[in-house]
Amino acid sequence: MEHGAVEGIQQIAIMGHLVDVNVPVVISAITVSILLVIVAVLLGKTNVIPTGLQSLLEHVYAWLEGLAISLMGPIGKRYVPLCASIFLYVLFSNWIGLIPNFFEWIPGAQRFAPLLEPPTVSANVTLAMALVSFASFMGLGFARRIETSMQPAHGHGHAHGEDAHEEHGEHAGPVGGGPFVGAVRWILHYIEPVPSLGKSMEGLMKFVMVPLLLILFIFLNIVEELARILSLTFRLFGNIFGEHQVKLQLLTLAGTYAVQSATSAMAGAIGGAVGMGVMTIIMWGSLLFVLCLGTLAGFIQAFVFALLTMSYIAHAVADHH
Amino acid sequence: MDKGLMFLAVALSIGIAALGTGIGQGNAVAKAMEAIGRNPEAQGKVQSTLILGLAFIESLCIYALVISFILSGRIPA
């Protein structure tokens, strides 16, 4: 297995032919297939009274739904499927690297190369996930603004039945005006704190400061949205990449100590062999500890990714006054 | 160039970041524990907000980790 020029692409010999394989993509595909198989198997025999795996998945969904409702009220229910799929995908991506698998010793680089590394150790994958999150909270915020503009300005509109009544909640923002007004409202929320700041100023001060503040806050609001992509990308990538590197280092050390122990034993140096053997065992023990930690960290990172996506959506769809 | 200084930079960038992040996360967790102790019913709400806050604090450390990985990749063999 040679490392190609492009990051993540490796050449693998399959039946005598060298094939370029984009490892993160392949492992992502494996991850998604596992999820699809689980769901497909479960769909065949769903029960009203859930048992086993179905019960587990329903618990996960109910838990995320509870979070969504606590973040954005009853309207949060519609965004749960998106956040839950992001959560499950990231979770399985993080966890698939924890499965003990085949490691290959690369003599030139003096290190181990795992065959199965989590796709999230590639910044490309986490950037893609962050872009999905970004597109969804921008798109859903815009769609929500258009939707509220289509609702009648007065009354709760019984056309939608109970659901619409429920979704209005306690803090109904500005409604009505048609889609055009809705789009304008969406654009106007990029100048957000300026109107209220402008009200507190008087005279010449207002004419000088308001344009300056306008430029500043439009810039800040746009940077804020873009910084979200960056922070989502690097949080997931850094955590999983760091943990993966620790794992690889421990494994490499364990391998090196084991080899040294064997060579010492063959040379007849019993003390050295025992010492290196003990070091090997310590390294394997640390590896076990790191794997346990990795299970927890993988879960927490997936949760944080989904929760942040949810809270960005909540911020985007919230009714501003 | 001076390889030793680069090693120092790699170690210091993540070390200083971990110091600050550790203090920050410790404060956050301590306050959250206090809040749960005072009002155990608010546990769920405190927990999810805490994890969100910890994620933001931790991302600072992660940026430093990325920087130190970039630096360690640049050290000439």
Side-chain angles (χ1 to χ4, degrees), chain A residues 7 77 115 145 176 200 206 270 315:
Chain A
E7 187 222 326
K77 271 183 200 166
L115 293 183
R145 215 42 62 93
S200 62
K206 199 168 178 172
I270 301 302
H315 185 247

Side-chain angles (χ1 to χ4, degrees), chain A residues 6 20 101 110 116 131 174 317:
Chain A
V6 182
D20 279 343
N101 60 75
Q110 286 290 308
L116 206 62
L131 286 176
V317 304

